[in-house]
Each structure stands twice: as structure tokens, then as C-alpha cells.
Amino acid sequence: MAPGSACPLPPTPPPSRVLCCCTRWSSGHQEGEPSGQRGPAGPHTSAQRCQYCTLVLFQKTPEIYSVELNGTKDIDKTDKGDGKEKYRGLKNKPSNCKKNHQIQEIKEELDLNDHKLSNEDLEKKYGTNIITGLSSARAAELLARDGPNALSPPKETPETVKFLKQMVGGFSILLWIGAILCWVAYGIQYSNDPSSSLDNVYLGAVLVLVVILTGTFAYYQEAKSTNIIASFSKMIPQQALVIRDAEKKTIPSEQLVVGDIVEIKGGDQIPADIRLLSSQGCKVDNSSLTGESEPQVRSCDFTHDNPLETKNMCFYSTTCLEGVATGMVINTGDSTIIGQIASLASGVGDEKTPIAIEIEHFVHIVAGVSVSIGIIFFIITVSMKYPVLDSIIFLIGVIVANVPEGLLATVTVTLSLTAKRMAKKNCLVKNLEAVETLGSTSIICSDKTGTLTQNRMTVAHLWFDNQIFMADTSEDHSNQIFDQSSGTWTSLSKIITLCNRAEFKPGQENVPIMKKTVIGDASETALLKFSEVILGDVMEIRKRNRKVAEIPFNSTNKFQLSIHETDDPNDKRFLMVMKGAPERILEKCSTIMINGQEQPLDESRATFHTAYMELGGLGERVLGFCHLYLPADEFPETYSFDVDTMNFPTSNLCFVGLLSMIDPPRSTVPNAVTRCRSAGIKVIMVTGDHPITAKAIARNAGIISANSETVEDIAKCLNIAVEQVNKWDAKAAVVTGMELKDMSPEQLDELLANHSEIVFARTSPQQKLIIVEGCQRLGAVVAVTGDGVNDSPALKKADIGIAMGIAGSDAAKNAADMVLLDDNFASIVTGVEEGRLIFDNLKKTMAYTLTKNMAMVFPFMLYTIVGFPLPIATVTTLFIDLGTDIIPFIALAYEKAERDIMNRKPRHKKDRLVNKPLVLYSLLHVGVIVTLGAFVVYFTVYAQAGFRPSTLIGLRVKWEKDDVNDLEDSYGQEWTRYQRQYLEWTGYTAFFIAIMVQQIANLIIRKTRRNSIFQQGLFSNKVIWVGIASQIIIALILSYGLGSVTALNCTMLRVQYWFVALPYAILIWVYDEVRKLFIRLYPGGWWDKNMYY
Amino acid sequence: MVIRKEKKSCGQVVEEWKEFVWNPRTHQFMGRTGTSWAFILLFYLVFYGFLTAMFTLTMWVMLQTVSDHTPKYQDRLATPGLMIRPKTENLDVIVNISDTESWDQHVQKLNKFLEPYNDSIQAQKNDVCRPGRYYEQPDNGVLNYPKRACQFNRTQLGDCSGIGDPTHYGYSTGQPCVFIKMNRVINFYAGANQSMNVTCAGKRDEDAENLGSFVMFPANGNIDLMYFPYYGKKFHVNYTQPLVAVKFLNVTPNVEVNVECRINAANIATDDERDKFAGRVAFKLRINKT
């Protein structure tokens, strides 16, 4: 696939890892062994294990320090260590070329060296001037050469091709054949007798009309749903601030060209690939490109050979979070990194959705049946010495009778109805058929950040007074129940409030606190909101405690410090508050505050470590807080603090408490995950985060359930080496990207198959593709969520790609089949439910449709073989297919689920929409009853008009002769051709109405497949009754309204004939109730196996 | 998602089919074990047995609503149709005078058709009725059958009776007889108590010219009221349908002539747009002379 995909590349750590680690304050989740300390949750399977755990816990304590001190290097070490321990010996295998090709492609294509060039070289290279920019003329020239700075949209199928596909797809081709045969028949007739009737021409025309109408309708439906998406994905045109002709201009970013000098500021989307020339506190969010959610500092220094990792590059579609920068455009449009990845995504082919396969299967069955019956008939009729012409017409009749013309168009309607319903529940379905695919999903590979979590740091735990308190992490923080009476809390809250640079953006007075926009980084935001919720107006508190000096956080100090005047007018002391990495803070402290009293620290050190370990083990980011009241004598009110010389004490402070933060799971997620599990869906978490954090969130979200353990857990608890543990004893597994990289596809398959709860941590977005492929090799239907551009190949590859509506990039939305408008995992589960429901309901629709085929094919059999006058004409069958049956089809889509469909296993790929019991039950049971009922009506009409059933046998030939105008009936009366014709039409109408009446019963019984109608509620689905009313009204119109239109072959039917088939309709209902009763009584029994569809 | 469709080799397909037909491991024949087959066959036997019974029952009930002598509804037969004898393909009466075979089949048909009209048979089976009035035989509460029919003697057809006719109803001489009959409709009082007759004419002006003169038997093409009403073939066993014979005397040879005959009766409309045979009959006549 890739041009020259030479391999293997040296396993460079993904850039994200390096960058993210150095900005971490706390080491809590960088601790080496990913499972040593667990939160209160996660009880062990045996008491013995727990004992071991406690031991281990304490033994491990010193390691925390080392981890912290070594910072980034340590991650590599531990990760590698993990890999070694877990899959020993794999490390040295040559890295698998095939597996990594995706990553390599992306990396290889980055043959950029602009980041290495000096500004002067750049100017030369791009013929521009850093100060004055390009000239407008030059820019226009370049624009003409390179095209606009926009990603070329994925190739769309031309509308005409889409339209034509609708015209020949499905049953259309059969109907075309039918129509052509009609005209051929007329051609033959015409050559023999120019005055022959035009009936066949009309029939052909009707068939073509049907094809065109249903095709147009289906096309329209699809176009409509595509438009929803189109309007959704259309974005407000972006502007870019560019220097041209030595002037700053705002132009649409589409007009940017290589060599332009652009200025970006916080909040902007980067308009193209940019080499930075100057920068002030610029931070970018590269998550859409690399999957790394941490903001990354950008400056104009060349720091890394890899253009993705060097600091002087910004990439198209990423966002500048804060600061300002100036840069030179070096790539635009499709040649940007994102553009290259997007084109990679388009290389992954579009696949057929399960429902498309199922419908195709249904079409094949029906087409196969109708063509083979047709051909058998043709042979029979020809060998019965019928003229070939007549045989052709019979053939057409059989085909048309068999084909449910209106069905496919209504399936589209049904799917779009569900799509609409899902859109209301925040699942926007781009591809209609994806609705059902979601229902058959067996594995969901979900992102963590934003999908499973709330995507914001939130204070989760507090530790003070030697106690851990839990904070409310729900979306609105409404319920903070921890003890706030302690004096320690008062001090702690003061530090939290004061030692914080984050501020609310002005003008949001009416916005709920949790929704307010904050200027500041994630942790400070969390603290700000936390304190605002508990203490009220933080800004006011800060105002009262005027800040006199401040040392902002930096990665060398690992603390933040500020000095304030106190709000107590009597207290002239300054308050120094400090927060930072807990061990750093602890080092500076000599006392600790317990219950508002300062005490020596010594005894509390152990409890501090335990608490710190525990919080760290929860995957939370831990911060320590301390303060010191500066003695008023040494530091009088006029004292001038100098942060550079640090003319104030920074040791022997008073430790106040710990606060830990996490991006908590959305409150709906644990429940959704449980529902997935009971629905037999495996939820795999794929995240770029650290394994500890990933695992903690996985536990909170229920992806790793409370009572399951990873290999590491078991090893730790039994106090044995990881490799001694039988891998398959562990239900759960946490696998890092590094480990994944070294796995062969077989090993990955084994891993996916044998662990029911899997978390992939530290993965690059490219590895998602590998995971998806692995799942698909196992035969799973895989749903994948993604937001970044890099996710788009995985989204494409997945059976159903789900893009995030809020966080998602355009490329991801383009590649996805579905967009989650609220980015919420729980919405996927709702979608799954809808998808399953639609599958069930489509099954009912198919069963409903198939039933009448018997009643439409049988008449042709008896007509040709027994020689009855034709019971139902080809055109009349169309009234059923395109008239009375249409609304009932759609009505079944509104049927509610019979049982909790979320307690079933996902549909196996072999579970067909139309399976054997369905076909047999519909055709050979209900179908036969409908046929008999219709024939009773037919015989009644003829008998009461003078032709007893016995007379009808073999009557066909004479009956249809135009020159026989004195055909004798059972009473000796003589009939002219027209009189017989009219009787025949009455027969058609009666037969049609008989089918319609029984289809009402058929519609009612199809409401459920297992439960009694009365359990389900006869009136539970109002639309069904609309359907029934529509059937009756259409029949009334055809019989009484249009009865005089000759071409329709309908007559005004006597009222009593409407009721003749009623006993059979009742029989259908009763019989089906009996069937369902036995199914419920003997589940799994012979009856169930043969009768449940 | 890639459609992971494994292409099966031909051998595999055959093997799969073999296994489907007879699976030795599970002892399944066509996907079912012996017991399963027995069950399913038994089920269908019972089920279809029941359906047959149900169908028979409903049909029986339905037939109870139908009387033996009068159909329940006759609304379609309000206007009886007219028809010709000999009945020819597309109602084209083509006579090649020199080619005996061309008309011999007509003659045979007519002989057979007119046999029941022989005077001897009529005299033996049917009554002599009073002309000019309906021959009603009401049931008066008690079924009164078989009902008697009125005589229509073959001799009433005069030159067209074919009795001792060397010209074979005129077919050998190019002066063919065509018989017009009116469709039987039970309990239909044709003519509404007034006399009625059949008239024939060329369809268009040139047809009228080419048609020449013709004679009708009985005279004027009269149909007597005594032949009505008809009580149905079960009760009116020996009912003899009245006929009108038309003998075309000098049809222009080698020309196709469109003839239309219609009945003139007070209660029979002959202008139905859709039913071209309601109260009338159109046929083509062609006498080929060399």
C-alpha cells in the first residue's frame, strides 16, 4: 500500500509519550508497576491474596520516589519492563513489518526538513520574506499552482451513478426483465395480429413505472439523509491572519499558500502546516494528529529530527490553545500531514454493511425462488402445449407476483426513521445501513478521553487530617459531601483558591459553574471550579487576599507558589501558599496540619505515603498543598518579595493536604458498559494515556469489572513473578502500545480472544487500526470510536466507525459511519439497542411480505395447471405490493422490542435476517392459510354468479376466447366474453381483498415473534393501526372509487365478499398465538427450533 | 469492513452438499435426523389435514348459500348476448364454394347443432305452447320440476332447416345460412311482453351494398315470447333455444362483408360500449368464388 514501505523502522517511542510526561506534575500514575496499589475498589478473590497485596503495597513505597525523580526516562524503562515481563522473549523479534506498516507510512511520508532549516534558508526556499510576507501577486500565482488550502473531499459517487444503482439494484433488474418480456410478447402478438390488445404494453409500462418510482423514492430518501450530514459537516469558513505586501490581512484560510507568514493566537485552528518563526507561550493541542491530549509547548527551536516531535512545527487542523506565534506556511491542503493521512483513510475501502448483506440475501432468495418457479412454470406450460407467448406472460406473472416491489423502498424509509430516532438520542447516522450494523456490533473499541470520561480534570479525592475524602465527580458537582468542618479544610481551601492562576472568562454570570469557560490549564481549572462550587465567589476571595508575589509552576521546581495578604485586617502576616508534586511539597515541610493544628510531620509521613500511593494507584493526578504564615516581624507589610532571589523561606512549611484529580468517567458510562456486557458486547478501551490511569478509569467505568484481575494483579497478590502466572487466568488485560508493537498478529488474536476485558494504553492512533483488524479476524463486528485525524483509517476499517461530534475532527467525521453528537459512550449503547430493534423489526417486515407470495403465486399455478379463470392479475398483485402493504411495512418499524434486546448476545453473522424457519413459516404455514382463504372468496364469487367450482376446472381456454360469447355456466346460462371478463375482474378484486383482509391478521401477528399479542399490547403500536386503516382505505378506494376504471381491473365488490376470508384471518391469528404459546412453553424444544424465526 | 468471503473450491462445495444430503456423523439427512423428519412430516400432515378440513368446511358452507336452480346473482347477465352458428374462428364465416372442405366443417357443426330441433324430437319431448305469451311455470312454494319447454321445430327454419337440402344450408351455392341465437339467461323475460325480432344489416354502407338481400326464418326474424323465461339447465331439461336463421342470397363474392345482427326487444339494450355482444352480434362473411 505504502510507497516503498521499507521496514522495519527503529521502534521510536511515539512522540506523545515523551511530551506528555514532562508536563506531569505528579508521578502518581507514572509509577512503574501498573497495578501495585489499588483503590478501595477491586476486592481480591481470596483473602490470602489481599494479605499479599498489603505487603506489596508497603514494599513498593520507595519506588514512587525514584519514578518521580527520573521523570520521563522512567516511563520508557517501566514500559519496556512491562513488556519484558509479560511477553518475555518477544522483545527481540524483528518488528513485524505488516503490522506496523500504517505507522511507518505516516512516518515515512514526513520527509520534511523545514524544521531543520534556518529562517534565512526558509526564506530562500519559499521565496518569501519573513517581515513583509509574500506579495499578493506571488500568492495568487502560488494559489493557482497549488490549489486552495483545503483537504480535497473524499471522492463521491456521482449522483447519476447513485441514481442508476437504485434503478438496477435489488429487484429492479427482475422487473426490467419482466417489462421487456411484456413488450417482446406484445411484439410477437403484434406481428401476428396488429389489432391485438395493448394489455402487455401497459403491463410493461406499469412495471417500468414501478421500478422508476421505487428507485426514485429510494434515491430521494438516501439523498435526504446524506444531506443531513452534508449540512452538518459544513463548517464556518476559517480565517487566517496573514502578512502579505507587508500588511496584516485577514483572509479565508483556504487562500493560504506556501511561504505565507501567518500569525496565530490562542483559540485558533492552525490553518496549514507551519514552521514557527517566533512564539510567545504558544501551546498547541495535537490530539487530533497524534492522539496526545496534553497541550504541547511550541517555540521556534529545532528540538527533534522528527518533524512531528520538534517544537518549531505546527500542523494543519490542530489547535493553538494559548499564546501567540508567527510562522511560515510550508505545506497546504492535501500535502499537509493531515492531508496525507486523510488520503490514507480513503485508501481503506468501503465495505458492505451487514444489513446490506442481509437484504441482498433476501433479494437473492426471492429472486432465486421467483426465477426458478417462473422457469419451472415456463417448462410446464410449454410442455402443456400452451403457446410460448402465453408461457412468457405466465412467467412475467410469476415474477411480478413473487417480487415485493415496494419492500426495498420502505426498508430505506424504515432505516431513515430509525436514523432520525437515533439522531434525537445524539447518534447521527451518516450511512443508513449503519443503523443495523451498530446492532450487530460485538466489540466496541472506545476512546477514553471524552467518550468514556467527561474530558475535564475534576477533583476526585482529598486527603487531609490523615483521611481520604471522596469528592463528587459527577457532571454537576452538586453533591460535595465530605466533612468541611475541620480547620484543616479551611486552610486547604484557602490554598486551593489562592495558589491558582486560572480565571473564569468574563461575561458568563449565568452559566452554571461547571460549564463556564476557564483560562488556565486543566488542573487549575479543576481546582478553580471545585473551590467555586464549595466556597462561592473565588474571585472575590482572591481580591480580599491580594497577591503580592508569585512563582508560576515550572517543570524544574515542580511547584507553584504565591504570597498573599490575608483578608483578616488584624492579621498583618503574609500567607505563603504552595502547591505541587506531593513529594516535592512534603520535602519542604516540617509540620503537618491535623484538625486545624500544626503538628510535627514525622508520624504522619507513613500515612501520607499510603494515601499518596492509594490515590496514585487510582490513576489520579495528585497535588500536595502547604502553606506558611510568614512572621510579621521578619516580613512587614512593606516587605518587597523578589521571586528571582527567593527572599523568603521555602522550607519548614506546614503540610496541609493532598488533592487528587482525574478525568472522571461520565456518570452514564458505568451503566452503559454494564448494558454492553449483558448484551454480549465486549468493550475494549484504547487510549493514549498511561496504563495506570487507563486501568483506573477502566475500573471506574466498569470496563474492567470489579472482580476481575489482570496478570499483574494476580502476580502481585500471589507475590510471584508475572511470567509465572497463567496468562489465561486473568480475565482482564492492560496492554501497552509497546507490547502491542512487538506482538505478532497471532498473539494479538490470542490476546483478544482470551481476555474478556482489555485495555490498550499508550497506544498510538495507528495501533487502533491493528486492534480493529485483530478483532475482525476473530469474526467480530467492530465499532470504533475516534476523534483524531489519525483515527480515520481505523474508523474506515471498522464495521462501524463512530466519530465524536464535539471533539472530532472533520476527517474523522468523514471517515465515520456515525457521529456521536454528545461524544457520550452511553449514546452508543442506545444506538446498539436501536440497531437491534430495527433488525428484529425488519425481520418481521420480511416475514409479513413473504407470506402473501404464496397467495400470489398459487393462483398462477392453478390457472395454468388446473385451468381456472385467472384468480388475480399481475396488475392487481401490484396493488398489494405497492398499495395496501406499504404503510404496514413502515408500521412494523415502530414496533417496540418484545423482550430486553440488550440481554441477548449480538447477532452472529450467520444469523440471517431471513432464515429458514421464517421462510417456511411464512410461506408454508401462514402463506397457505392466506391462499386458501383467498381461494374461498374467489370460489364464492364465481359460484354465486353461476360458475360452481367444478365447472371452473379446465375452463381457462374457452373462458379467454374472445369469439366465444355464449359460454355456458353451471346453470345453463350463457355468457359473453365481456360478461365473463367483468366476472374475472370481480374475482381479482375479491382475491385482492381477501389477501388484504388476511394481511391485516398477518400484520397483527407479526407484531411479536415470541410473546402473545396480548402481552405486547394490541394497541401498543398505534402506527400498526394506521397501517391497517390504510389497507382498508386503499382497498375501498380501489374497489368503490376506481372500480369503473377498466385498466385497473377492479370492480365494485359486494359488501359480503369482504368478510368471507375473515374466518381464515382469525385462524391465522389463533394459529400464531398457539405457535407462540408453544415457543414460550418449550423454549429450545423441537417446536421452538422449527417455528421460531 | 472487508467482506471476508472465502472462495470455496468446487470440491468443497460438492463435499458440503454431500454432507448436507447425508451427514454420517449426526445421521442427518438433508439437515435433519430421522426423528426430526418424522416429526416435521407428521406436523405437516396434521397441519395440512386440518387446513384441508377447514377449506372443505368453508367451501361446503359457501355452497349452501348457492341454490341449485338459480344463481345467486345475475346482475352481469342483464343483457343477454347474441351469438351465431356455425361458430367459426373469430366469427369469420368464409365459404370457398369450390373448396368443399372449407364449409363442410360448418355444415357438420350445423347438422349437430340442429339435431335436437328435429320435429320428431321436439314433438316427443316438448309442449306445443301458445305463441305470443310467456310460458311461465311458477313453483308456487313447491318445487315444480322438471319444467316443460316449448317446441321449436327445425322446419320453422324453412330453407335453412337443412332438411333434405342438397345445398348444405346454402353453403355449396354461396347462399349460406347463419343462425342467430340469443344467450340463455335464467328467469329473463325477454321482450318485456312485447314481440321482438332480430334484424341484420351491413355494418357500414359498403357492407350493406355488398351484403345484398337475405331472408330470415322464422319470418321477420321473430322470436316468440313463449320460449321465455328459461329456468336453468337442471329444471328446464329439454329447453330448446329459439333460433333465427338468416340466408344471404347474393353476397358480393370475394369481398369481406361485416354483418351485424341485433335483437329489437324492449328490455334488451344493444348499445353497450364495452360489451360488443350485448343484444347483438357482428361477424364477417366472405364468399370466395373463382
Side-chain angles (χ1 to χ4, degrees), chain A residues 642-955:
Chain A
D642 185 348
V643 292
D644 293 322
T645 54
M646 299 250 244
N647 55 356
F648 46 85
T650 54
S651 56
N652 293 327
L653 312 176
C654 172
F655 193 87
V656 181
L658 291 172
L659 229 132
S660 71
M661 281 166 293
I662 197 160
D663 180 9
R666 290 164 178 270
S667 49
T668 45
V669 162
N671 184 30
V673 171
T674 317
R675 286 181 34 153
C676 277
R677 191 155 291 141
S678 66
I681 301 168
K682 196 170 181 174
V683 182
I684 294 179
M685 185 164 109
V686 184
T687 173
D689 252 323
H690 193 278
I692 296 274
T693 320
K695 197 177 159 193
I697 290 294
R699 279 217 186 273
N700 282 347
I703 287 174
I704 296 181
S705 46
N707 53 1
S708 51
E709 296 176 306
T710 61
V711 177
E712 291 81 4
D713 289 335
I714 297 175
K716 209 139 286 169
C717 291
L718 296 176
N719 206 12
I720 54 175
V722 169
E723 55 265 34
Q724 283 175 297
V725 180
N726 181 0
K727 271 194 281 195
W728 313 135
D729 281 352
K731 237 171 108 184
V734 178
V735 183
T736 64
M738 288 302 286
E739 292 163 0
L740 185 61
K741 211 171 184 178
D742 296 326
M743 277 185 193
S744 67
E746 292 74 35
Q747 286 169 319
L748 178 62
D749 289 356
E750 217 178 318
L751 174 85
L752 289 169
N754 286 302
H755 293 288
S756 60
E757 298 165 351
I758 306 174
V759 171
F760 288 98
R762 278 283 141 105
T763 48
S764 65
Q766 290 86 355
Q767 283 177 319
K768 239 187 200 174
L769 190 63
I770 296 162
I771 297 166
V772 171
E773 282 170 339
C775 295
Q776 287 182 336
R777 274 198 300 275
L778 298 178
V781 176
V782 187
V784 171
T785 70
D787 45 20
V789 172
N790 261 5
D791 291 333
S792 47
L795 289 173
K796 274 251 164 184
K797 180 78 197 164
D799 299 79
I800 178 159
I802 304 168
M804 297 300 134
I806 301 168
S809 59
D810 278 3
K813 285 176 195 167
N814 265 332
D817 305 297
M818 222 176 80
V819 179
L820 279 192
L821 293 181
D822 59 355
D823 288 14
N824 189 348
F825 182 81
S827 303
I828 303 178
V829 184
T830 324
V832 169
E833 198 169 352
E834 287 288 346
R836 290 185 171 194
L837 184 60
I838 200 65
F839 186 81
D840 279 10
N841 286 347
L842 277 179
K843 208 167 194 166
K844 292 169 184 173
T845 311
M846 298 292 169
Y848 173 78
T849 316
L850 270 182
T851 308
K852 65 175 187 296
N853 273 17
M854 207 61 173
M856 304 213 289
V857 174
F858 244 98
F860 280 98
M861 287 191 193
L862 296 182
Y863 166 69
T864 47
I865 297 167
V866 186
F868 290 149
L870 188 61
I872 188 165
T874 308
V875 173
T876 320
T877 60
L878 291 177
F879 292 154
I880 299 175
D881 281 325
L882 295 171
T884 57
D885 269 0
I886 291 290
I887 297 179
F889 283 159
I890 298 169
L892 281 171
Y894 285 95
E895 196 56 47
K896 300 212 166 41
E898 279 173 70
R899 306 187 278 176
D900 190 4
I901 41 178
M902 292 307 277
N903 285 336
R904 278 198 305 225
K905 292 266 157 291
R907 177 172 75 90
H908 194 270
K909 274 182 183 160
K910 277 182 189 155
D911 294 345
R912 312 309 311 239
L913 180 69
V914 177
N915 53 19
K916 209 163 65 181
L918 185 146
V919 174
L920 292 182
Y921 181 70
S922 298
L923 291 181
L924 295 186
H925 298 212
V926 185
V928 169
I929 299 178
V930 172
T931 312
L932 290 180
F935 265 102
V936 168
V937 184
Y938 165 81
F939 284 130
T940 311
V941 167
Y942 277 80
Q944 297 197 334
F947 291 92
R948 287 162 164 274
S950 51
T951 321
L952 293 176
I953 295 168
L955 196 61

Side-chain angles (χ1 to χ4, degrees), chain A residues 396-446:
Chain A
I396 299 164
V398 168
I399 291 177
V400 174
N402 260 309
V403 170
E405 287 84 3
L407 181 73
L408 295 189
T410 45
V411 166
T412 322
V413 176
T414 304
L415 288 175
S416 61
L417 279 175
T418 308
K420 256 184 211 160
R421 209 151 56 198
M422 283 166 80
K424 262 188 215 154
K425 295 175 182 173
N426 291 321
C427 293
L428 194 66
V429 180
K430 276 174 62 180
N431 172 358
L432 278 189
E433 285 147 352
V435 171
E436 195 282 324
T437 314
L438 198 56
S440 45
T441 300
S442 53
I443 295 182
I444 300 176
C445 291
S446 176

Side-chain angles (χ1 to χ4, degrees), chain B residues 3-205:
Chain B
I3 298 226
R4 293 175 288 266
K5 214 181 206 173
E6 301 105 40
K7 284 271 170 212
K8 287 174 193 159
S9 73
C10 205
Q12 267 176 307
V13 173
V14 172
E15 206 46 49
E16 267 173 29
W17 268 98
K18 263 190 196 162
E19 188 157 298
F20 174 69
V21 173
W22 174 248
N23 186 337
R25 271 180 302 111
T26 52
H27 292 274
Q28 279 177 331
F29 171 69
M30 308 281 275
R32 283 179 186 278
T33 59
T35 10
S36 181
W37 272 112
F39 265 124
I40 201 86
L41 289 178
L42 182 71
F43 168 79
Y44 276 106
L45 196 70
V46 172
F47 181 64
Y48 285 146
F50 169 76
L51 286 187
T52 314
M54 168 111 180
F55 182 69
T56 316
L57 178 77
T58 42
M59 284 299 278
W60 180 80
V61 170
M62 183 272 287
L63 289 175
Q64 296 311 301
T65 68
V66 177
S67 101
D68 273 348
H69 67 283
T70 325
K72 190 156 181 157
Y73 299 114
Q74 287 182 286
D75 53 317
R76 283 302 103 209
L77 297 175
T79 311
L82 253 52
M83 192 52 184
I84 58 160
R85 286 291 182 276
K87 152 124 200 11
T88 53
E89 189 80 13
N90 293 327
L91 304 186
D92 293 342
V93 182
I94 299 164
V95 181
N96 292 325
I97 297 174
S98 50
D99 178 9
T100 320
E101 268 182 37
S102 75
W103 43 263
D104 189 50
Q105 41 160 339
H106 301 330
V107 173
Q108 297 300 328
K109 277 186 197 160
L110 286 177
N111 282 340
K112 206 176 162 206
F113 174 67
L114 290 174
E115 212 179 285
Y117 291 87
N118 285 342
D119 292 15
S120 54
I121 296 174
Q122 287 294 318
Q124 185 193 334
K125 288 185 174 167
N126 290 346
D127 298 349
V128 181
C129 310
R130 210 178 103 195
R133 53 178 288 182
Y134 294 119
Y135 185 47
E136 287 179 288
Q137 301 161 69
D139 285 337
N140 290 333
V142 190
L143 272 188
N144 158 24
Y145 74 97
K147 297 186 194 288
R148 306 291 298 167
C150 296
Q151 287 184 5
F152 187 99
N153 288 319
R154 195 166 171 175
T155 45
Q156 282 174 269
L157 297 171
D159 289 354
C160 286
S161 67
I163 301 166
D165 184 358
T167 63
H168 302 284
Y169 307 99
Y171 281 83
S172 59
T173 57
Q175 294 179 316
C177 283
V178 175
F179 298 85
I180 316 283
K181 70 183 199 47
M182 188 165 71
N183 284 350
R184 293 186 295 263
V185 174
I186 291 172
N187 288 333
F188 181 65
Y189 291 80
N193 232 344
Q194 293 158 37
S195 67
M196 57 188 158
N197 71 326
V198 173
T199 54
C200 291
K203 211 166 190 176
R204 288 177 286 266
D205 289 348

Side-chain angles (χ1 to χ4, degrees), chain A residues 893-1079:
Chain A
Y894 285 95
E895 196 56 47
K896 300 212 166 41
E898 279 173 70
R899 306 187 278 176
D900 190 4
I901 41 178
M902 292 307 277
N903 285 336
R904 278 198 305 225
K905 292 266 157 291
R907 177 172 75 90
H908 194 270
K909 274 182 183 160
K910 277 182 189 155
D911 294 345
R912 312 309 311 239
L913 180 69
V914 177
N915 53 19
K916 209 163 65 181
L918 185 146
V919 174
L920 292 182
Y921 181 70
S922 298
L923 291 181
L924 295 186
H925 298 212
V926 185
V928 169
I929 299 178
V930 172
T931 312
L932 290 180
F935 265 102
V936 168
V937 184
Y938 165 81
F939 284 130
T940 311
V941 167
Y942 277 80
Q944 297 197 334
F947 291 92
R948 287 162 164 274
S950 51
T951 321
L952 293 176
I953 295 168
L955 196 61
R956 190 192 85 88
V957 181
K958 265 192 179 172
W959 180 278
E960 291 189 341
K961 276 227 162 106
D962 284 334
D963 55 11
V964 175
N965 279 293
D966 52 352
L967 185 77
E968 201 179 304
D969 66 15
S970 315
Y971 295 91
Q973 304 186 99
E974 291 168 315
W975 294 65
T976 65
R977 172 68 181 129
Y978 180 76
Q979 287 162 347
R980 297 195 304 268
Q981 183 104 61
Y982 194 89
L983 179 61
E984 193 177 315
W985 291 343
T986 311
Y988 296 165
T989 316
F991 207 93
F992 158 67
I993 284 172
I995 292 179
M996 184 276 293
V997 166
Q998 295 175 88
Q999 282 289 77
I1000 292 177
N1002 189 18
L1003 179 60
I1004 292 171
I1005 65 164
R1006 300 300 182 186
K1007 275 165 65 77
T1008 61
R1009 295 186 294 150
R1010 178 183 295 269
N1011 287 351
S1012 162
I1013 296 299
F1014 302 102
Q1015 286 173 308
Q1016 181 85 349
L1018 189 53
F1019 299 98
S1020 62
N1021 178 358
K1022 302 277 185 301
V1023 189
I1024 290 274
W1025 292 94
V1026 174
I1028 291 173
S1030 83
Q1031 287 184 303
I1032 295 170
I1033 290 168
I1034 291 173
L1036 282 173
I1037 291 173
L1038 281 173
S1039 174
Y1040 297 120
L1042 304 171
S1044 49
V1045 182
T1046 328
L1048 297 180
N1049 300 350
C1050 273
T1051 64
M1052 300 201 190
L1053 201 65
R1054 288 200 159 74
V1055 177
Q1056 72 265 34
Y1057 292 149
W1058 288 67
F1059 301 97
V1060 176
L1062 209 57
Y1064 285 87
I1066 293 166
L1067 175 69
I1068 290 172
W1069 194 342
V1070 172
Y1071 175 61
D1072 196 60
E1073 282 295 322
V1074 171
R1075 178 187 74 93
K1076 289 168 185 164
L1077 179 69
F1078 278 117
I1079 288 173

